Amino acid sequence: MCPNLSKSKSTIKIASSKPTRKKQLTSFCMCAPHPRRRSYYQIREFQMASSGDELESEDPDDELELELDLDEPAPQPSEDALPERLYDINEADAESRAATLEQLSIKDEDAWWNQVPLTNLDLSSNALSHISPKIENLQSLTVLILHDNALVDLPAEIGKLEKLMRLNVSRNKLSDLPRELYSLPELRHLNISYNEFSELNPDISDLHMLEFLDAGHNSIKSLPGGIGFLVRLTALLLPYNHIKDLPPDLVNMRSLQRLDLMQNDLTCLPEDMGLLRKLQFLYLQHNDILELTDFEGNETLTELHASNNYISNIPIRMCENLPHLKVLDVRDNKITQLPDELCLLRNLNRLDVSNNSIDKLPVSLAALAHLISLQVEGNPIKSIRRDILQCGTSRILRTLQERSVAKSKDEGESDSGAGARLSGGQAGNDTAANYPDRYKLRHTRTLAVNLEEITDVPEEVFQLAQKEGVHVVDFARNQLRTVPNGLQHMQNIVTELVLAHNRIGQVPQFISQFTRITLLNLSNNLLTDLPKEFGVLNTLRELNIANNRFSFLPSGLYDLQGLEILIASDNHINELNVAGLQRMPRLSTLDLRNNDIDFIPPILGTLTNITHLELVGNPFRQPRHQILMKGTESIMSYLRDRVPR
C-alpha cells in the first residue's frame, strides 16, 4: 500500500479509509475536479487475487485518494492540471526513504521497495491539451486512457513506454501520432477514433502485435500500403471516413474477424475477399457499392450489413458460399429480384430487404427454418396481399410454405425444399430414397429436412449420410419427440447438430459420444435437464438451449472446457451458479434473458472472459435496467464494484 503521508494544508495526503491491510497501487484515475472546494484525484487500487490476476475495486469506501486540500478554489482543468508527483509515483519520496528500520519492520508492506509500479493510468474526460514528456518515467504502464480531452499532439516520449498494451486517445483533436509511437513492441489495442486524422501513417504497419484498431469518425481518405502487415489484427474499425478504395494487401490480415467500413465512399470490394477466412462481421452500410462479391472462402461470415448502397442483385454464388450467414441486411438498395438460392443460407436468422424494388418473394424462403425476422416493407410486392405482409414474418413464411406445397402437388413432385414431404406418423415407412439424394449429400455435406412435420427418421438415412461424409445435420421445425437413434451412426463425423423447434423432452446419453461436434442447437423444445455425461463434449463451442423448461443450468455444462457461447434465454432458471461458470474458461457469450433469476452474485463481474452478457427480463432488482441497457462492460463493472473485500 502507498505510504500514508500526513502534512499541513496544501500538501498531498494519501490515505485509506479502511483498516490497514496490504494493498498495491497499480492504477491511477484522475477525474475532473470535484465541484466543491476540494479537488479529488481518485486512485483506484488493485488487490492481487490468488490466481495472480488483478481485480479492480471501485467501491467508494475501499479506495485510496490523492487529496489536494487547498485554500484556493480548485483550478479548472488545463494542460498543467496534472500533479507533478504523478510522473514520479513509482519512486519513493524522501519521507519514505528516511523511515527507520524499526518503522519499516512494523509495516513492511508500506516499504517503498515493496511497491508495485503503476500499470494503469486513466486521465480521460478532462480538458488536457498537453501531456508532459515526463510520461516516459512511467515505464511500467500497460494501459493509458486519454479519451475525451483536448489533446492536439502527444509527446514523442510515449514511444518509450515499451510495456504499453492499450492506448485510447479517442475524442481529442489529434491529426497525427508521434513516429516513436509506432515502435511500441507490445501495443495490442489502439483507439484513435473521433479525431482529425486525414490519413494513417504508413509506419502503423510496424505495430506487429496490434489486434484492435479503431480509426472511425475521422477524415481518412485512403489506407496506406503495407497495412496488410498487421497480421494479428482481429478488428479493424474505419466507419465515418471518406475511404474510396481498399488497398490490395488488406486481405493479408488473415486473423481479421470484424471489418467496419460503414459511412465511407467505397464503390467496390477487393475481388479476393475470400482470403479473409476468419471474417465474421462485415459492415458496409452507407457506401456507393454497386455489387457484392461472391465471398468465396468467407465461410465463417455470420453477419453482412450492406444497406444504403446501389446494389442491384444478390449473387447466386454468394448464397452458395455463406453457409453460416445469420444476418443479411441489404435494405435501401436497388434490388429488383431475390434469387431462389437464398434458401441455401440455411442458418439465416434475419433478412432485411426493405425499401428496394422487389415485386415478388420466392417460395424457397419458406425453407429457411431459422428465419425469425423478414423485413420487406417499402417494396412493390404484388405476389402477396398487403394484409398478409403487414402481419409479419410468421404469416409471410406460412403463406410461402402453403404455396410451396401447392406447387409441389401441381408438379407431381414428392420433394419439397431440402428434403421429402413426410407427414407426421408416416415417416417411419419412408426409405432413404425420399430424403436428399447421394449427390446432394455429397455436394453439401449437409442433411437438412425442415418444416416437414416428421416424427421419426429412418435409420438408413443416417447410414447413407455417414457414407457420404455429411457433417451437418438439421431437423429443425418438425415434430420429433426424441433424438433419432440413427444419429449414432454419425457420432464421429457430425460437427453441427440442429434439432430446434421440435417436441423433444429428453436428450439421450449417446450424445456424449459425438467427438467432433462444435455446435448444438436444442432450442424450442421441452427439455428440463441434460445428461451428466454431457460435460465430456470438449469440442463443443456453441450451445443453444433457449425456450425450454430448464429451472437451472444442468451440472454437466460446467465441464464444457471449450464452450464459448451459451444461450439459455426464455427458460425458468432461478439462480446462477457462478462457481460452475468459473470452470468454463472460454465462455465469452452468456445469454440468460427472460428467466426467473432474482439475484445476480457480484462475483459474476470477475469473470473477465465473458464479453457479452444478456440479463434483461429477469426479476432481480440490481443491476437496474438502465445499467443493463449500457451493455456488458457496464454490467460487469457494476458487479465488480460490489464484490466483498
Side-chain angles (χ1 to χ4, degrees), residues 576-618:
L576 279 181
N577 182 354
V578 179
L581 294 174
Q582 288 175 326
R583 289 156 46 195
M584 306 170 71
R586 294 189 178 180
L587 187 65
S588 60
T589 298
L590 178 60
D591 188 345
L592 295 169
R593 290 173 296 169
N594 303 322
N595 277 284
D596 299 326
I597 302 171
D598 57 8
F599 175 70
I600 304 297
I603 195 69
L604 179 66
T606 66
L607 302 185
T608 55
N609 50 296
I610 295 180
T611 58
H612 186 79
L613 177 63
E614 295 283 356
L615 295 172
V616 173
N618 283 280

Side-chain angles (χ1 to χ4, degrees), residues 243-301:
I243 301 172
K244 294 183 178 181
D245 299 295
L246 297 175
D249 65 340
L250 180 76
V251 297
N252 293 335
M253 299 179 179
R254 304 300 170 84
S255 299
L256 199 63
Q257 299 175 16
R258 181 182 178 191
L259 178 58
D260 190 345
L261 296 166
M262 67 179 295
Q263 289 281 359
N264 277 280
D265 301 323
L266 294 171
T267 58
C268 63
L269 297 174
E271 293 183 1
D272 47 1
M273 281 287 292
L275 294 177
L276 300 175
R277 301 193 183 279
K278 294 186 178 181
L279 190 65
Q280 298 180 24
F281 307 96
L282 179 58
Y283 302 91
L284 302 170
Q285 305 98 308
H286 294 274
N287 278 279
D288 300 323
I289 297 174
L290 301 176
E291 60 180 6
L292 295 172
T293 70
D294 292 341
F295 293 102
E296 184 175 0
N298 298 119
E299 292 187 0
T300 59
L301 193 65

Side-chain angles (χ1 to χ4, degrees), residues 200-205 222-229 247-250:
L200 291 180
N201 193 313
D203 291 338
I204 197 170
S205 61
S222 63
L223 299 178
I227 195 171
F229 286 112
D249 65 340
L250 180 76

Side-chain angles (χ1 to χ4, degrees), residues 332-349:
D332 292 284
N333 276 284
K334 305 295 181 181
I335 299 173
T336 58
Q337 185 178 5
L338 295 179
D340 290 334
E341 286 76 8
L342 273 175
C343 65
L344 298 177
L345 302 174
R346 62 178 189 81
N347 283 310
L348 203 63
N349 292 334

Side-chain angles (χ1 to χ4, degrees), residues 2 25 28 43 84-92 118 138:
C2 290
L25 175 63
F28 180 90
I43 299 178
E84 282 296 317
R85 173 63 175 135
L86 170 63
Y87 299 111
D88 300 317
I89 201 166
N90 288 338
E91 302 295 329
L118 189 71
L138 304 177

Side-chain angles (χ1 to χ4, degrees), residues 471 487-497 509-519 533-541:
H471 58 83
L487 270 172
Q488 297 181 73
H489 291 288
M490 307 179 67
Q491 63 187 25
N492 294 324
I493 60 174
V494 168
T495 59
E496 298 183 17
L497 176 58
Q509 293 182 354
F510 71 71
I511 199 70
S512 63
Q513 300 170 7
F514 283 66
T515 56
R516 297 184 59 192
I517 192 166
T518 61
L519 181 149
E533 297 82 359
F534 201 80
V536 304
L537 297 175
N538 293 326
T539 59
L540 193 62
R541 296 289 180 266

